[in-house]
């Protein structure tokens, strides 16, 4: 049994949505995901998918993409990304796909670990950060705390993994409320995605930083193959 992660699948079986603006490697990327997944993941493994699963604007449009993920091997733990517009109601999503785990203001478990997290958002002083972003940023900080507090109340204090869609810091790696939370709850393992493109991917944080292991799992960065976390 292993814990893996892969984010930013950007599937679009309902309506074609080319991703090659981010590079030629995105051509037929769904097939790469399927082939790599089948080679890497067993029925006993668990995969965290940290957002941007489907381009569908509603659950009906996203259903072919979610069925694709559902039919892959292993257990799937899913968080929302900024492009997951189909995720209007977590209760409806859970009802439609009961075999997958969707995190929203709560947590789930993998062996003796608690898996927490939320979508996250752009952090202050990011080059694109606006007044509108500040509201969403503050809301996501609350949601991350709700997720973590639910795990702590259930007895998890040390073995907690946070999964976010957005990076928990801006491109300058300045201290954010997400970083404060990571320190406060003594988190040692963080999973995130969201970023794409060769120029952007050159500067991502992937590895040890201030005693925390950051796992950058955008599909194009890890060659569309789930990476092992534990």
């Amino acid at each position: 049994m292993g814990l893996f992660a892969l984010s930013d699948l950007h599937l679009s079986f309902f309506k074609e949505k080319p991703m090659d603006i981010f590079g030629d490697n995105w051509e037929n990327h769904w097939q790469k995901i399927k082939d790599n997944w089948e080679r890497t993941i067993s029925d006993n493994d668990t995969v965290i998918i940290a957002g941007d699963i489907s381009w569908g604007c509603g659950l009906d449009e996203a259903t072919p993409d979610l069925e694709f993920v559902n039919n892959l091997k292993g257990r799937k733990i899913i968080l929302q990304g900024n492009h997951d517009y189909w995720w209007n109601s977590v209760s409806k999503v859970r009802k439609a796909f009961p075999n997958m785990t969707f995190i929203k203001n709560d947590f789930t478990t993998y062996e003796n670990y608690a898996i927490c997290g939320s979508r996250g958002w752009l952090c202050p002083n990011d080059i694109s950060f606006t007044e509108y972003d500040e509201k969403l940023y503050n809301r996501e900080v609350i949601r991350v705390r709700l997720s973590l507090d639910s795990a702590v109340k259930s007895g998890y204090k040390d073995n907690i993994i946070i999964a976010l869609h957005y990076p928990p810091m801006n491109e300058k790696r300045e201290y954010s409320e997400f970083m404060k939370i990571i320190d406060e709850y003594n988190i040692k393992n963080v999973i995130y995605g969201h970023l794409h493109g060769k120029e952007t991917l050159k500067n991502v944080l992937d590895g040890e930083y201030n005693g925390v292991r950051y796992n950058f799992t955008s599909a194009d960065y890890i060659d569309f193959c789930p990476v092992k976390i534990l």
Side-chain angles (χ1 to χ4, degrees), residues 105-204:
N105 299 338
D106 54 8
F107 78 104
T108 189
T109 60
Y110 167 80
E111 295 187 348
N112 62 328
Y113 285 83
I115 310 298
C116 301
S118 189
R119 177 180 58 182
W121 201 254
L122 287 175
C123 292
N125 293 329
D126 185 278
I127 190 171
S128 302
F129 194 81
T130 66
E131 185 177 343
Y132 170 78
D133 292 312
E134 185 172 5
K135 296 177 181 178
L136 293 174
Y137 167 78
N138 290 332
R139 188 184 305 164
E140 285 298 313
V141 168
I142 293 171
R143 286 175 173 165
V144 172
R145 284 193 177 276
L146 286 171
S147 177
L148 286 162
D149 287 343
S150 66
V152 171
K153 287 177 181 177
S154 296
Y156 292 89
K157 292 184 178 179
D158 297 319
N159 292 348
I160 300 178
I161 295 172
I162 285 185
L164 302 166
H165 177 64
Y166 280 84
M169 60 185 75
N170 62 28
E171 68 273 9
K172 303 172 188 175
R173 298 187 184 178
E174 293 177 335
Y175 202 72
S176 70
E177 285 297 316
F178 296 121
M179 302 293 288
K180 180 181 177 181
I181 289 171
I182 289 167
D183 289 345
E184 182 180 335
Y185 289 81
N186 194 32
I187 306 300
K188 298 301 181 185
N189 219 318
V190 177
I191 294 164
Y192 75 99
H194 179 65
L195 305 174
H196 303 294
K198 291 182 179 180
E199 291 304 313
T200 301
L201 297 183
K202 288 192 299 186
N203 300 316
V204 299

Side-chain angles (χ1 to χ4, degrees), residues 19-20 22-29 32 198 201 219-221 223-224:
M19 288 289 292
D20 56 7
F22 294 111
D24 294 339
N25 56 332
W26 280 95
E27 185 175 356
N28 293 325
H29 74 283
K32 296 177 184 178
K198 291 182 179 180
L201 297 183
D220 49 337
Y221 181 77
D223 200 23
F224 305 94

